[in-house]
Amino acid sequence: MNTSGQDSQYSGYNFAYLDEQTKRMIRRALLKAVAIPGYQVPFGGREMPMPYGWGTGGMQLTASILGANDVLKVIDQGADDTTNAVSIRTFFERVAHVETTTRTEAASVIQTRHRIPEKALSKGQILVYQVPIPEPLRFIEPSEEETRVMHALEEYGVMHVKLYEDIARHGHIATTYAYPVKVDERYVMDPSPIPKFDNPKLNMSDALMLFGAGREKRLYAIPPYTRVKSLDFEDHPFEIQAWDTPCELCGATDSFLDEVITDDQGGRMFVCSDTDYCQNRREEVA
Amino acid sequence: MPHAAQHDVATRELRPHDWPALDDAVHHSQRLFRQLLSAMSEPGTVHDIPVSSMPQGVALSSAAWGTLLALCDLESRLWIADELNRDGLAAAISFHTGARIVTCADEADFALVTPHSCQRMPNVSEGSDTYPDRSTTLIVVLAATGTLKSAEGFPHAPAHGPLPTRDWRLSGPGIRDSRVVALDVKAEALMQRLACNRAHFPLGLDAILTADTHLIAIPRSTQIDVVTATEEHA
Amino acid sequence: MYVAVKGGEQAIANAHRWMADRRRGDRNQPEIDVEQVREQLGLAVDRVMAEASLHDPGLAALALKQASGDLTEAVFLLRAYRTTLPRLADSVPLRTADMRVERRISATFKDVPGGQVLGPTYDYTHRLLDFMLLAEGECPAPARAEVALEACPQVLDSLDAEGLIEQEVDDGAMPYDITRDPPDFPVDRATRLQMLARGDEGYLLALGYSTQRGYGRNHPFSGEIRQGAVEVEIEVEGFDGPLCIGEIIISECQMINQFGGSREKAPQFTRGYGLAFGRNERKTMAMALVDRSLRAEELGEPVESPAQQPEFVLAHADNVEASGFVSHLKLPHYVDFQSELELLRRLRREHAARDGGGTADEVESARAHEMDAGLKDTTASAPLSAPSSELPSESSSESSSAPSSAPSAPRRSQETSA
């Protein structure tokens, strides 16, 4: 198939790809998710024309909320230009003809994989997370039947035990991403594989956050202005990653840095993972 | 229908197509949904949901009608309180959305109620410990279409004169500090019931309160307190 | 100098173009026709239809062609298409007893009413490569019985009369629809069968095989295996009785399994059931074995083997889900990896400082392969990490079809590219 045939491939599908009944099913589930912050609402996830695990949950949520006047930003690893971000953005350009942007502040809907933008989100914005494994207890208890009961009984002791085992062994909590949080003092929630560096941004955010796991057919939400606390211990308080060096491109000292290998002699440099943030800072300096 | 007489228009049967459809199945319902999402995300914020050419004199609000059109379809089960079940409403809902009308409130995904029906709350579902999402969402009609003075915000005074209102302080997820909403005193029983949500959480009832073209949402996560008279005048 | 690369879209387009070229292969060879795939690679078509849950041989053949014969990819293509189709009607349950049988065998009785019908099968062929197929040649028409085989009774029904086999009773309940609603475990048997019917054949085969080797043994016999055409009927308002809208080929397997009985219940044979679109005999046999083993709890058997654990079996049976999630490890995980890297370096510094086994600087300059080895420890507690610095598959095409960009990770290039 050549590229000129790509657009015609997408003709004949509904606005934003999903049919209206599927959107309504997801929308009803989203309202429940917002009403029960941090609770994983089962939904009838559909196959998307992208593989499971590549953001189908986030895409179904985006497709269900997106309107003709929305401005969409898609990031993967914080960057707008990673292959999967490009692919998903292109998909929505073709099936919904919405305006897209790389500027965080210009977007009304941001779909993300693995990062929260550095720039604080504002009221009215919606951040849609792609989630691989929505169940924070899954690696402690593989059975869905069991974890569902654990959530019902608020039986989260095992999670603390697991984190504490890390401390006993390593002297630190060894979870560095997908770091579990407690939402409004009730549900323990997986914030998706964002680095724990981003966890504080979940707390009392101005923006609405929606989480979609397509393969696992679960969605959940954190409304704006909701208390979100990263699990920790009094003697081992939650802490975020820090780097010794600033971003080599923009000089930022407050952003999450990616390590880039520059040669085969062990040379490396650190640059912002959030490409839009980095770009803006460089433009300001220039 | 013991309370139909309260309305200025006598009970009459409207045909399903007398009730308006959405302007456009795709984009209009998307806009309505985003308003509902916004309302549920920020409890107590007022959203305007006008639906063009609502039939005159019906017991329903246009905001409730818009909510039904945006959310209901073949997969939805709806319970309708007696006092709203007029104007050919049930047939109109089936015709426009395909939703099934059920007679047991606890089987319903949505229950269409008024403050009056909340005096003795129908037996709606709060969900279960393992599936708290399997609950009934209340769509409450506080004032029918055309009975509100539009400039007065939510919902305050019906057209035939200001009725006493009571202030409620909302706090919790979606609310930075707290937010006060003024509701017709008739909503007292409803609000007392919703105030119990917090103790049952995560079980509970999510409510969409409508008056004419306006709506606010109060999800089960919201803490509700009565604003005392001293606070009011402070 | 470091340059951030833009242009992922171009790289993706180039990669797809290259893939299309690969699919076409040597232009001196005639292009394969979808009809040829459908007619001459029929068993592949059938497998794709079964696992995609969509009966459409033409589109399954197209999917196979488009996927260069990659069955899992073809299943995915057809499944994604299926999702977009409106549901116009639900069929009434298929009556496999009324099947126009083309193959029908029983391993439990020497002769059965209707007879044993070998039909088209690779069974009893000697698996010697047939070099005659290298040459084009005429294939003789099959020898067929004079009279087409009419519907014949199901073998297991003959055991019914004596009460030797458990009865399957339709409780009239509306079956759960796994394509519409997420399964909430534990699920009932009808739901399990739906999930198995679209499950990956290789996976079911391995699980079924494991029960034969003692991991949840349930003493199976092939009571009856049949394949042939059945009518698909729907109810239409205004018509008395269902209307036939066409015929499809399906395969069915009914296993007969042992059951010890209990204090309340006399010993009785139990059943495992398999059904699939098309000629999918191996799949239906494996499915029947797994269906039966998943009934362990219901039948009071000890649940101790993987094939007896419904949530384990069912949650991992779907190859579209499985291949998607495995392949997502190709996507960038820079951020998570960086998080692990940061922690690992810190832990190693602290370890070195504690043990005096080396200075912090020495540890800091540890080579990449040492980090990889060390990483295994931390990933054990955080299984989601993708400790891979390998190139995503797109990158190789990116580098060749767009030679100006470096074959590094897609988002960034090294100075060598500038």
Side-chain angles (χ1 to χ4, degrees), chain B residues 30-48:
Chain B
Q30 185 272 338
R31 288 195 303 274
L32 292 182
F33 167 69
R34 281 288 279 277
Q35 288 183 293
L36 288 163
L37 181 65
S38 196
M40 199 63 92
S41 304
E42 300 194 52
T45 53
V46 181
H47 298 262
D48 194 25

Side-chain angles (χ1 to χ4, degrees), chain B residues 112-127:
Chain B
L112 208 46
V113 297
T114 67
H116 176 81
S117 25
C118 297
Q119 300 294 338
R120 252 183 54 238
M121 185 61 89
N123 185 29
V124 290
S125 170
E126 290 198 331

Side-chain angles (χ1 to χ4, degrees), chain C residues 45-62:
Chain C
V45 168
D46 287 354
R47 179 165 173 185
V48 169
M49 292 196 305
E51 291 171 19
S53 312
L54 180 68
H55 192 283
D56 191 322
L59 290 180
L62 170 62

Side-chain angles (χ1 to χ4, degrees), chain B residues 101-186:
Chain B
I101 311 294
V102 295
T103 49
C104 294
D106 63 343
E107 289 172 6
D109 302 305
F110 298 97
L112 208 46
V113 297
T114 67
H116 176 81
S117 25
C118 297
Q119 300 294 338
R120 252 183 54 238
M121 185 61 89
N123 185 29
V124 290
S125 170
E126 290 198 331
S128 64
D129 289 327
T130 42
Y131 291 97
D133 55 306
R134 295 181 182 172
S135 60
T136 308
T137 299
L138 302 180
I139 301 174
V140 186
V141 181
L142 295 173
T145 296
T147 61
L148 261 192
K149 285 180 189 162
S150 60
E152 291 179 323
F154 190 85
H156 301 315
H160 49 273
L163 283 176
T165 61
R166 163 155 279 185
D167 286 350
W168 303 88
R169 172 169 289 111
L170 312 182
S171 57
I175 304 167
R176 194 201 294 268
D177 300 306
S178 68
R179 179 172 290 130
V180 173
V181 292
L183 297 177
D184 190 324
V185 287
K186 282 189 299 186

Side-chain angles (χ1 to χ4, degrees), chain A residues 1-3 6 9 13 17 19 21 25 42-54 76-79 81-84 86-87 90 93-94 113-115 132-133 138-139 142-145 162 166 169-170 172-178 190 193-196 215 217-218 239 241-243 249 256-263 265-266 268-273 275 279, chain C residues 2 4-14 16-17 20 23 66 76 79-84 178-186 198 311 318 320-343 345-347 349-350 354 364-367 371 377-378 380-386 392 394 398 410-415:
Chain A
M1 207 131 329
N2 60 33
T3 46
Q6 295 263 324
Q9 264 189 317
Y13 292 108
Y17 186 77
D19 60 280
Q21 196 173 337
M25 174 268 295
F43 78 104
R46 304 288 196 248
E47 273 99 1
M48 294 296 280
M50 265 80 160
Y52 283 120
W54 295 49
D76 187 336
Q77 314 298 302
D81 55 358
T82 34
T83 38
N84 205 41
V86 169
S87 168
T90 308
E93 281 168 355
R94 289 189 177 136
R113 177 168 170 264
H114 294 194
R115 277 309 312 275
I133 303 280
R138 182 61 69 238
F139 301 115
S143 159
E144 166 70 16
E145 246 183 288
K162 190 246 163 216
D166 285 355
R169 184 166 168 202
H170 302 295
H172 297 278
I173 292 173
T175 302
T176 57
Y177 60 89
D190 180 331
I194 55 171
K196 64 179 182 175
R215 195 176 34 76
K217 300 178 175 57
R218 296 287 183 276
E239 53 183 25
Q241 290 103 335
W243 284 260
L249 296 180
F256 188 91
L257 301 182
D258 271 349
E259 180 172 341
V260 182
I261 311 227
T262 51
D263 56 40
Q265 307 298 311
R268 54 177 181 244
M269 61 188 287
F270 289 89
V271 298
C272 288
S273 122
T275 46
Q279 182 71 30
Chain C
Y2 175 81
V5 172
K6 302 271 177 194
E9 192 160 6
Q10 190 56 43
I12 291 170
N14 288 343
H16 294 170
R17 203 167 141 185
R23 174 171 58 224
Q66 188 178 331
F76 181 20
R79 192 80 83 71
Y81 173 76
R82 178 194 191 283
T83 311
T84 66
I178 60 160
T179 68
R180 297 270 155 161
D181 301 303
D184 48 47
F185 292 107
R198 58 159 49 184
E311 201 178 318
D318 188 311
V320 177
E321 291 176 1
S323 76
F325 201 44
V326 168
S327 69
H328 108 284
L329 294 173
K330 290 184 279 189
L331 294 179
H333 284 77
Y334 319 139
V335 166
D336 301 344
F337 188 71
Q338 189 56 226
S339 301
E340 295 280 79
L341 210 50
E342 190 263 351
L343 176 67
R345 286 190 180 127
R346 185 142 49 104
L347 293 178
R349 270 198 304 270
E350 289 170 4
R354 257 200 321 275
E364 176 67 13
S365 65
R367 275 283 168 254
M371 293 175 186
D377 277 341
T378 37
S381 58
L384 255 185
S385 72
E394 293 94 333
E398 177 187 353
R411 190 165 70 85
R412 312 223 185 261
S413 82
Q414 303 156 14
E415 56 179 320

Side-chain angles (χ1 to χ4, degrees), chain A residues 14-15 20-21 24 27-28 32 34-36 39 42 65-67 70 123 148 152 184 187 208 224-226, chain B residues 27 30 33-34 40-42 70-71 73 75-76 129-133 135 137 173-174 198 202 206 220-221:
Chain A
N14 191 25
F15 174 83
E20 289 303 304
Q21 196 173 337
R24 262 193 307 271
R27 288 168 181 172
R28 289 191 294 260
K32 298 278 187 179
V34 167
I36 318 170
Y39 166 73
I65 64 174
L66 207 60
D70 274 312
K123 194 170 152 62
R148 185 159 285 280
D184 197 37
Y187 280 103
L208 169 63
Y225 316 117
T226 298
Chain B
H27 298 286
Q30 185 272 338
F33 167 69
R34 281 288 279 277
M40 199 63 92
S41 304
E42 300 194 52
L71 295 181
D73 57 28
E75 293 172 4
S76 319
D129 289 327
T130 42
Y131 291 97
D133 55 306
S135 60
T137 299
R198 211 44 219 181
D206 309 320
R220 70 190 75 178
S221 60

Side-chain angles (χ1 to χ4, degrees), chain C residues 259-293:
Chain C
F259 171 45
S262 63
R263 199 176 289 272
E264 299 80 39
K265 236 177 154 181
Q268 214 180 16
F269 285 124
T270 55
R271 307 185 200 218
Y273 186 75
L275 185 81
F277 286 145
R279 297 174 177 91
N280 262 303
E281 193 165 285
R282 192 189 304 115
K283 160 75 171 274
T284 55
M285 292 179 74
M287 177 177 166
L289 290 175
V290 176
D291 169 47
R292 176 58 183 78
S293 67

